[in-house]
Amino acid sequence: MTKLTSTQIAWRAAQDIDDGAYVNLGIGFPEMVAKFQPPGRQAIFHTENGILGFGEAPAPGTEDWDLINAGKKAVTLKPGTAFFHHADSFAMVRGGHLDVAILGAYEVAENGDLANWSTGPKGVPAVGGAMDLVHGAKRVAVITEHVTKDGKPKLVQKCALPLTGVGCVTRVYTSLAVVDIQDGHFVLREKLAGLSFDELQSLTGATLHLDGDVADLIVPEL
């Protein structure tokens, strides 16, 4: 079955970030979103360890390892970049000063609950700053595969894993679709053109609702 790559999912999520928005990207896969700022728009990226307005990753071999994000990845500085204590960084998060947080997920429930950490042997060992981000940011989006490696739905009626946040997710960008969460339901907004609604529903662990036309999910080759 044809599906979007991780890079293409990140590209699609980046298209919905407003110019000048203050944005926190989760560790790992979500960090890719920063590469795809639409022309004429520039987000201001925030990291929990105390940097605001940092730039792209440096070229290999030119890293300054005193300049890293929360995922311990090297970053560059831009004019106006600000540094601050991590306690001040979390005050920004908890104070509602971030416009968007984009995170990965193990599971997203139809009521907006998010599980993106696990106590299992291969899981993220602690909930970390995501717990604050999902309730501090004005908008919370998730980027993820639509199903797990063994074909189980990641969009579900109720999360089975420990929750990161309750009722916090508003949009999910998957390898097959773009789905909003409204009034406790998954609402389908976009899907791959070659995938029927019934096929998509069979891969989703809760009912997909329709609210108007469903657009084709179109992304460039990346």
PDB file of all heavy atoms in Angstrom, residues 103-107 114-120 122-131 134 159-165:
ATOM      1  N   LEU A 103       4.075  16.808  18.049  1.00  0.00           N
ATOM      2  CA  LEU A 103       4.665  15.669  18.740  1.00  0.00           C
ATOM      3  C   LEU A 103       4.419  14.378  17.973  1.00  0.00           C
ATOM      4  O   LEU A 103       3.526  14.297  17.124  1.00  0.00           O
ATOM      5  CB  LEU A 103       4.043  15.536  20.138  1.00  0.00           C
ATOM      6  CG  LEU A 103       4.107  16.767  21.050  1.00  0.00           C
ATOM      7  CD1 LEU A 103       3.243  16.549  22.277  1.00  0.00           C
ATOM      8  CD2 LEU A 103       5.532  17.066  21.448  1.00  0.00           C
ATOM      9  N   GLY A 104       5.204  13.365  18.296  1.00  0.00           N
ATOM     10  CA  GLY A 104       4.937  12.024  17.814  1.00  0.00           C
ATOM     11  C   GLY A 104       3.953  11.330  18.734  1.00  0.00           C
ATOM     12  O   GLY A 104       3.547  11.871  19.765  1.00  0.00           O
ATOM     13  N   ALA A 105       3.556  10.099  18.370  1.00  0.00           N
ATOM     14  CA  ALA A 105       2.567   9.403  19.187  1.00  0.00           C
ATOM     15  C   ALA A 105       2.663   7.899  19.007  1.00  0.00           C
ATOM     16  O   ALA A 105       2.972   7.405  17.922  1.00  0.00           O
ATOM     17  CB  ALA A 105       1.157   9.854  18.828  1.00  0.00           C
ATOM     18  N   TYR A 106       2.373   7.184  20.086  1.00  0.00           N
ATOM     19  CA  TYR A 106       2.079   5.756  20.002  1.00  0.00           C
ATOM     20  C   TYR A 106       0.597   5.558  19.707  1.00  0.00           C
ATOM     21  O   TYR A 106       0.203   4.717  18.919  1.00  0.00           O
ATOM     22  CB  TYR A 106       2.426   5.055  21.317  1.00  0.00           C
ATOM     23  CG  TYR A 106       3.900   4.924  21.591  1.00  0.00           C
ATOM     24  CD1 TYR A 106       4.450   5.390  22.780  1.00  0.00           C
ATOM     25  CD2 TYR A 106       4.754   4.332  20.669  1.00  0.00           C
ATOM     26  CE1 TYR A 106       5.803   5.260  23.049  1.00  0.00           C
ATOM     27  CE2 TYR A 106       6.107   4.198  20.925  1.00  0.00           C
ATOM     28  CZ  TYR A 106       6.627   4.660  22.114  1.00  0.00           C
ATOM     29  OH  TYR A 106       7.972   4.533  22.368  1.00  0.00           O
ATOM     30  N   GLU A 107      -0.246   6.362  20.375  1.00  0.00           N
ATOM     31  CA  GLU A 107      -1.694   6.270  20.198  1.00  0.00           C
ATOM     32  C   GLU A 107      -2.314   7.658  20.352  1.00  0.00           C
ATOM     33  O   GLU A 107      -1.855   8.468  21.164  1.00  0.00           O
ATOM     34  CB  GLU A 107      -2.322   5.356  21.256  1.00  0.00           C
ATOM     35  CG  GLU A 107      -1.893   3.903  21.203  1.00  0.00           C
ATOM     36  CD  GLU A 107      -2.435   3.107  22.375  1.00  0.00           C
ATOM     37  OE1 GLU A 107      -2.537   3.664  23.491  1.00  0.00           O
ATOM     38  OE2 GLU A 107      -2.761   1.928  22.169  1.00  0.00           O
ATOM     39  N   LEU A 114      -3.660  11.677  24.265  1.00  0.00           N
ATOM     40  CA  LEU A 114      -2.395  11.345  23.609  1.00  0.00           C
ATOM     41  C   LEU A 114      -1.556  10.443  24.492  1.00  0.00           C
ATOM     42  O   LEU A 114      -1.387  10.692  25.696  1.00  0.00           O
ATOM     43  CB  LEU A 114      -1.601  12.627  23.328  1.00  0.00           C
ATOM     44  CG  LEU A 114      -0.150  12.457  22.836  1.00  0.00           C
ATOM     45  CD1 LEU A 114      -0.111  11.781  21.471  1.00  0.00           C
ATOM     46  CD2 LEU A 114       0.565  13.794  22.810  1.00  0.00           C
ATOM     47  N   ALA A 115      -1.031   9.378  23.897  1.00  0.00           N
ATOM     48  CA  ALA A 115      -0.035   8.520  24.551  1.00  0.00           C
ATOM     49  C   ALA A 115       1.208   8.521  23.676  1.00  0.00           C
ATOM     50  O   ALA A 115       1.188   7.970  22.576  1.00  0.00           O
ATOM     51  CB  ALA A 115      -0.579   7.106  24.716  1.00  0.00           C
ATOM     52  N   ASN A 116       2.268   9.177  24.139  1.00  0.00           N
ATOM     53  CA  ASN A 116       3.495   9.188  23.327  1.00  0.00           C
ATOM     54  C   ASN A 116       4.734   8.803  24.137  1.00  0.00           C
ATOM     55  O   ASN A 116       5.845   9.135  23.791  1.00  0.00           O
ATOM     56  CB  ASN A 116       3.684  10.533  22.605  1.00  0.00           C
ATOM     57  CG  ASN A 116       4.220  11.630  23.481  1.00  0.00           C
ATOM     58  OD1 ASN A 116       4.123  11.571  24.712  1.00  0.00           O
ATOM     59  ND2 ASN A 116       4.776  12.660  22.865  1.00  0.00           N
ATOM     60  N   TRP A 117       4.492   8.055  25.234  1.00  0.00           N
ATOM     61  CA  TRP A 117       5.608   7.460  25.956  1.00  0.00           C
ATOM     62  C   TRP A 117       5.140   6.093  26.447  1.00  0.00           C
ATOM     63  O   TRP A 117       3.951   5.789  26.431  1.00  0.00           O
ATOM     64  CB  TRP A 117       6.063   8.347  27.124  1.00  0.00           C
ATOM     65  CG  TRP A 117       5.082   8.459  28.248  1.00  0.00           C
ATOM     66  CD1 TRP A 117       3.878   9.104  28.244  1.00  0.00           C
ATOM     67  CD2 TRP A 117       5.229   7.902  29.558  1.00  0.00           C
ATOM     68  NE1 TRP A 117       3.262   8.989  29.462  1.00  0.00           N
ATOM     69  CE2 TRP A 117       4.073   8.260  30.298  1.00  0.00           C
ATOM     70  CE3 TRP A 117       6.214   7.148  30.181  1.00  0.00           C
ATOM     71  CZ2 TRP A 117       3.879   7.887  31.613  1.00  0.00           C
ATOM     72  CZ3 TRP A 117       6.017   6.769  31.503  1.00  0.00           C
ATOM     73  CH2 TRP A 117       4.873   7.143  32.196  1.00  0.00           C
ATOM     74  N   SER A 118       6.064   5.271  26.837  1.00  0.00           N
ATOM     75  CA  SER A 118       5.715   3.902  27.208  1.00  0.00           C
ATOM     76  C   SER A 118       6.637   3.411  28.309  1.00  0.00           C
ATOM     77  O   SER A 118       7.805   3.794  28.377  1.00  0.00           O
ATOM     78  CB  SER A 118       5.832   2.978  25.990  1.00  0.00           C
ATOM     79  OG  SER A 118       5.680   1.632  26.364  1.00  0.00           O
ATOM     80  N   THR A 119       6.098   2.544  29.133  1.00  0.00           N
ATOM     81  CA  THR A 119       6.909   1.920  30.176  1.00  0.00           C
ATOM     82  C   THR A 119       7.528   0.611  29.702  1.00  0.00           C
ATOM     83  O   THR A 119       8.189  -0.083  30.465  1.00  0.00           O
ATOM     84  CB  THR A 119       6.056   1.639  31.428  1.00  0.00           C
ATOM     85  OG1 THR A 119       4.929   0.834  31.054  1.00  0.00           O
ATOM     86  CG2 THR A 119       5.583   2.930  32.052  1.00  0.00           C
ATOM     87  N   GLY A 120       7.315   0.262  28.445  1.00  0.00           N
ATOM     88  CA  GLY A 120       7.853  -0.978  27.900  1.00  0.00           C
ATOM     89  C   GLY A 120       9.355  -0.926  27.716  1.00  0.00           C
ATOM     90  O   GLY A 120       9.984   0.129  27.843  1.00  0.00           O
ATOM     91  N   LYS A 122      11.257  -0.959  25.158  1.00  0.00           N
ATOM     92  CA  LYS A 122      11.775  -0.124  24.070  1.00  0.00           C
ATOM     93  C   LYS A 122      11.117   1.251  24.044  1.00  0.00           C
ATOM     94  O   LYS A 122      11.282   2.000  23.100  1.00  0.00           O
ATOM     95  CB  LYS A 122      11.565  -0.830  22.730  1.00  0.00           C
ATOM     96  CG  LYS A 122      12.333  -2.136  22.583  1.00  0.00           C
ATOM     97  CD  LYS A 122      12.128  -2.740  21.202  1.00  0.00           C
ATOM     98  CE  LYS A 122      12.916  -4.033  21.057  1.00  0.00           C
ATOM     99  NZ  LYS A 122      12.717  -4.644  19.711  1.00  0.00           N
ATOM    100  N   GLY A 123      10.383   1.568  25.073  1.00  0.00           N
ATOM    101  CA  GLY A 123       9.656   2.823  25.092  1.00  0.00           C
ATOM    102  C   GLY A 123      10.488   3.983  25.599  1.00  0.00           C
ATOM    103  O   GLY A 123      11.558   3.819  26.163  1.00  0.00           O
ATOM    104  N   VAL A 124       9.959   5.201  25.373  1.00  0.00           N
ATOM    105  CA  VAL A 124      10.550   6.391  25.978  1.00  0.00           C
ATOM    106  C   VAL A 124      10.392   6.252  27.487  1.00  0.00           C
ATOM    107  O   VAL A 124       9.285   6.006  27.975  1.00  0.00           O
ATOM    108  CB  VAL A 124       9.846   7.662  25.468  1.00  0.00           C
ATOM    109  CG1 VAL A 124      10.408   8.895  26.145  1.00  0.00           C
ATOM    110  CG2 VAL A 124       9.980   7.754  23.951  1.00  0.00           C
ATOM    111  N   PRO A 125      11.454   6.376  28.277  1.00  0.00           N
ATOM    112  CA  PRO A 125      11.384   5.964  29.683  1.00  0.00           C
ATOM    113  C   PRO A 125      10.613   6.896  30.605  1.00  0.00           C
ATOM    114  O   PRO A 125      10.336   6.536  31.736  1.00  0.00           O
ATOM    115  CB  PRO A 125      12.863   5.894  30.084  1.00  0.00           C
ATOM    116  CG  PRO A 125      13.544   6.845  29.161  1.00  0.00           C
ATOM    117  CD  PRO A 125      12.810   6.740  27.861  1.00  0.00           C
ATOM    118  N   ALA A 126      10.268   8.092  30.153  1.00  0.00           N
ATOM    119  CA  ALA A 126       9.525   9.006  31.015  1.00  0.00           C
ATOM    120  C   ALA A 126       8.747   9.982  30.149  1.00  0.00           C
ATOM    121  O   ALA A 126       9.095  10.232  28.998  1.00  0.00           O
ATOM    122  CB  ALA A 126      10.476   9.771  31.939  1.00  0.00           C
ATOM    123  N   VAL A 127       7.681  10.528  30.714  1.00  0.00           N
ATOM    124  CA  VAL A 127       6.821  11.414  29.936  1.00  0.00           C
ATOM    125  C   VAL A 127       7.522  12.720  29.591  1.00  0.00           C
ATOM    126  O   VAL A 127       7.287  13.307  28.535  1.00  0.00           O
ATOM    127  CB  VAL A 127       5.504  11.662  30.688  1.00  0.00           C
ATOM    128  CG1 VAL A 127       5.732  12.402  31.977  1.00  0.00           C
ATOM    129  CG2 VAL A 127       4.503  12.392  29.815  1.00  0.00           C
ATOM    130  N   GLY A 128       8.404  13.214  30.449  1.00  0.00           N
ATOM    131  CA  GLY A 128       9.214  14.395  30.142  1.00  0.00           C
ATOM    132  C   GLY A 128       8.393  15.654  29.913  1.00  0.00           C
ATOM    133  O   GLY A 128       7.263  15.795  30.379  1.00  0.00           O
ATOM    134  N   GLY A 129       8.979  16.580  29.131  1.00  0.00           N
ATOM    135  CA  GLY A 129       8.352  17.878  28.908  1.00  0.00           C
ATOM    136  C   GLY A 129       7.085  17.817  28.086  1.00  0.00           C
ATOM    137  O   GLY A 129       6.317  18.791  28.058  1.00  0.00           O
ATOM    138  N   ALA A 130       6.831  16.693  27.405  1.00  0.00           N
ATOM    139  CA  ALA A 130       5.615  16.594  26.589  1.00  0.00           C
ATOM    140  C   ALA A 130       4.369  16.808  27.428  1.00  0.00           C
ATOM    141  O   ALA A 130       3.371  17.363  26.953  1.00  0.00           O
ATOM    142  CB  ALA A 130       5.562  15.234  25.900  1.00  0.00           C
ATOM    143  N   MET A 131       4.400  16.386  28.681  1.00  0.00           N
ATOM    144  CA  MET A 131       3.251  16.545  29.573  1.00  0.00           C
ATOM    145  C   MET A 131       2.882  18.021  29.715  1.00  0.00           C
ATOM    146  O   MET A 131       1.704  18.383  29.757  1.00  0.00           O
ATOM    147  CB  MET A 131       3.568  15.944  30.935  1.00  0.00           C
ATOM    148  CG  MET A 131       2.462  16.048  31.967  1.00  0.00           C
ATOM    149  SD  MET A 131       2.890  15.234  33.524  1.00  0.00           S
ATOM    150  CE  MET A 131       4.357  16.153  34.018  1.00  0.00           C
ATOM    151  N   VAL A 134       1.658  19.604  25.951  1.00  0.00           N
ATOM    152  CA  VAL A 134       0.334  19.319  25.408  1.00  0.00           C
ATOM    153  C   VAL A 134      -0.767  20.123  26.090  1.00  0.00           C
ATOM    154  O   VAL A 134      -1.861  20.271  25.536  1.00  0.00           O
ATOM    155  CB  VAL A 134       0.006  17.811  25.467  1.00  0.00           C
ATOM    156  CG1 VAL A 134       0.972  17.020  24.616  1.00  0.00           C
ATOM    157  CG2 VAL A 134      -0.008  17.288  26.894  1.00  0.00           C
ATOM    158  N   CYS A 159      -6.972   5.147  24.441  1.00  0.00           N
ATOM    159  CA  CYS A 159      -5.555   4.786  24.534  1.00  0.00           C
ATOM    160  C   CYS A 159      -5.359   3.674  25.562  1.00  0.00           C
ATOM    161  O   CYS A 159      -5.938   3.705  26.656  1.00  0.00           O
ATOM    162  CB  CYS A 159      -4.713   5.989  24.943  1.00  0.00           C
ATOM    163  SG  CYS A 159      -4.640   7.297  23.705  1.00  0.00           S
ATOM    164  N   ALA A 160      -4.534   2.685  25.214  1.00  0.00           N
ATOM    165  CA  ALA A 160      -4.197   1.610  26.139  1.00  0.00           C
ATOM    166  C   ALA A 160      -2.909   1.897  26.894  1.00  0.00           C
ATOM    167  O   ALA A 160      -2.679   1.324  27.957  1.00  0.00           O
ATOM    168  CB  ALA A 160      -4.055   0.292  25.360  1.00  0.00           C
ATOM    169  N   LEU A 161      -2.088   2.781  26.363  1.00  0.00           N
ATOM    170  CA  LEU A 161      -0.808   3.117  26.981  1.00  0.00           C
ATOM    171  C   LEU A 161      -0.964   4.296  27.940  1.00  0.00           C
ATOM    172  O   LEU A 161      -1.982   5.009  27.901  1.00  0.00           O
ATOM    173  CB  LEU A 161       0.215   3.457  25.895  1.00  0.00           C
ATOM    174  CG  LEU A 161       0.637   2.292  25.001  1.00  0.00           C
ATOM    175  CD1 LEU A 161       1.443   2.799  23.814  1.00  0.00           C
ATOM    176  CD2 LEU A 161       1.434   1.272  25.792  1.00  0.00           C
ATOM    177  N   PRO A 162       0.029   4.532  28.807  1.00  0.00           N
ATOM    178  CA  PRO A 162      -0.039   5.682  29.730  1.00  0.00           C
ATOM    179  C   PRO A 162      -0.215   6.992  28.965  1.00  0.00           C
ATOM    180  O   PRO A 162       0.428   7.213  27.932  1.00  0.00           O
ATOM    181  CB  PRO A 162       1.311   5.634  30.456  1.00  0.00           C
ATOM    182  CG  PRO A 162       1.775   4.223  30.321  1.00  0.00           C
ATOM    183  CD  PRO A 162       1.268   3.738  29.009  1.00  0.00           C
ATOM    184  N   LEU A 163      -1.077   7.851  29.478  1.00  0.00           N
ATOM    185  CA  LEU A 163      -1.380   9.099  28.783  1.00  0.00           C
ATOM    186  C   LEU A 163      -0.320  10.158  29.029  1.00  0.00           C
ATOM    187  O   LEU A 163       0.191  10.304  30.136  1.00  0.00           O
ATOM    188  CB  LEU A 163      -2.741   9.640  29.220  1.00  0.00           C
ATOM    189  CG  LEU A 163      -3.971   8.810  28.863  1.00  0.00           C
ATOM    190  CD1 LEU A 163      -5.234   9.558  29.288  1.00  0.00           C
ATOM    191  CD2 LEU A 163      -4.002   8.479  27.381  1.00  0.00           C
ATOM    192  N   THR A 164      -0.050  10.905  27.964  1.00  0.00           N
ATOM    193  CA  THR A 164       0.751  12.121  28.065  1.00  0.00           C
ATOM    194  C   THR A 164      -0.142  13.297  28.424  1.00  0.00           C
ATOM    195  O   THR A 164       0.232  14.175  29.194  1.00  0.00           O
ATOM    196  CB  THR A 164       1.460  12.403  26.729  1.00  0.00           C
ATOM    197  OG1 THR A 164       2.200  11.253  26.336  1.00  0.00           O
ATOM    198  CG2 THR A 164       2.385  13.603  26.837  1.00  0.00           C
ATOM    199  N   GLY A 165      -1.328  13.318  27.825  1.00  0.00           N
ATOM    200  CA  GLY A 165      -2.271  14.391  28.076  1.00  0.00           C
ATOM    201  C   GLY A 165      -3.687  13.952  27.752  1.00  0.00           C
ATOM    202  O   GLY A 165      -3.904  13.023  26.970  1.00  0.00           O
TER     203      GLY A 165
END
